[in-house]
Amino acid sequence: MIRVLVADDEALMRVGIRLILENAEDIEVVAEAGDGYAAAAACRTQDIDVALLDIQMPERDGVAAAEDIARISPRTCVVMLTAFGEEASVTRALRAGASGFLLKDTGPADLIRAVQRAAGGEPVLAPRITRQLLDRQLESGRNTEAALRRTAELTPAEQDVLRLLGTGLSNAEIAGQLYLSAGTVKAHISRILTRTGCANRVQAAVLAHDAGLLSDR
């Protein structure tokens, strides 16, 4: 079972997410939290696979909670629940190591698939959301020169994988486009993260964006 924490200051939102997720046979919502402190505390006392955190919460927001969870439970995959117009918070969440982002109007089926993907180490952003989010939040802060230095040692095959990862594709989708096995793609991504110093796939997607790997596609 995928053990999930849902953190949102609105009780109705938490209830709605719980009802959606518990329709999946392999997902169990084991904890709820109304603020960032409670979210971090839940990860300290329970084994959480995926933490769904609202970016905007009282007392301690989702980004600060993500930082706490990264220290308390590094194996927990943190996915932020966000809305457009929260540019500063999204950028902070990326730097805090959030593994992905979901818009608050994500449909039930997509929410379930996102949690399943996150638990399996897959990206949790649809390509449309990836491009909109990264382009909107990070364009003004692009550091192309630094990004090019970090990607310079990647092989051509690794750069191809990084480019497709930057568009939000899953391992299977990348494998299909590049005619590789899923295992080979997974190995490429592991080397990409190590060589570029990225903590997760979302940070790698930002790097691909900053290096201009997506601009001519």
Side-chain angles (χ1 to χ4, degrees):
M1 295 292 288
I2 301 170
R3 296 169 58 84
V4 176
L5 159 70
V6 178
D8 194 294
D9 61 315
E10 296 184 19
L12 286 177
M13 178 66 74
R14 296 199 304 271
V15 170
I17 292 173
R18 174 189 284 274
L19 290 174
I20 290 170
L21 293 180
E22 291 189 342
N23 281 321
E25 294 182 354
D26 59 344
I27 297 175
E28 180 183 9
V29 177
V30 298
E32 295 183 19
D35 59 58
Y37 286 115
C43 290
R44 182 180 290 109
T45 59
Q46 299 192 60
D47 185 19
I48 305 293
D49 297 311
V50 178
L52 294 176
L53 307 180
D54 182 16
I55 278 189
Q56 301 293 343
M57 290 189 289
E59 303 296 332
R60 191 161 179 79
D61 67 14
V63 179
E67 294 172 343
D68 292 339
I69 292 169
R71 292 191 298 269
I72 294 167
S73 180
R75 65 170 296 277
T76 299
C77 175
V78 173
V79 177
M80 310 303 298
L81 299 171
T82 184
F84 284 136
E86 297 176 332
E87 290 87 350
S89 294
V90 169
T91 301
R92 286 175 55 222
L94 285 169
R95 291 171 180 166
S99 298
F101 296 86
L102 289 175
L103 297 178
K104 284 194 170 183
D105 61 356
T106 297
D110 287 336
L111 176 61
I112 290 171
R113 281 194 295 269
V115 169
Q116 292 167 333
R117 277 187 164 190
E122 292 286 322
V124 297
L125 299 175
R128 177 185 65 86
I129 298 175
T130 300
R131 293 304 299 268
Q132 288 181 350
L133 201 57
L134 295 180
D135 289 347
R136 180 169 179 171
Q137 313 302 339
L138 301 176
E139 184 68 41
S140 61
R142 174 180 287 186
N143 190 338
T144 302
E145 184 176 348
L148 288 173
R149 286 198 301 269
R150 292 172 64 189
T151 59
E153 295 185 6
L154 298 180
T155 67
E158 289 166 351
Q159 292 209 13
D160 284 341
V161 170
L162 178 60
R163 172 177 57 80
L164 294 178
L165 185 156
T167 66
L169 298 187
S170 68
N171 286 6
E173 290 166 336
I174 294 172
Q177 291 219 15
L178 297 179
Y179 303 101
L180 300 171
S181 71
T184 298
V185 171
K186 185 176 181 179
H188 277 317
I189 291 174
S190 179
R191 287 193 294 270
I192 288 168
L193 297 181
T194 298
R195 290 181 177 181
T196 61
C198 292
N200 53 52
R201 297 173 69 111
V202 174
Q203 290 187 359
V206 175
L207 180 65
H209 177 277
D210 287 351
L213 297 181
L214 313 183
S215 60
D216 59 348
R217 303 290 173 171

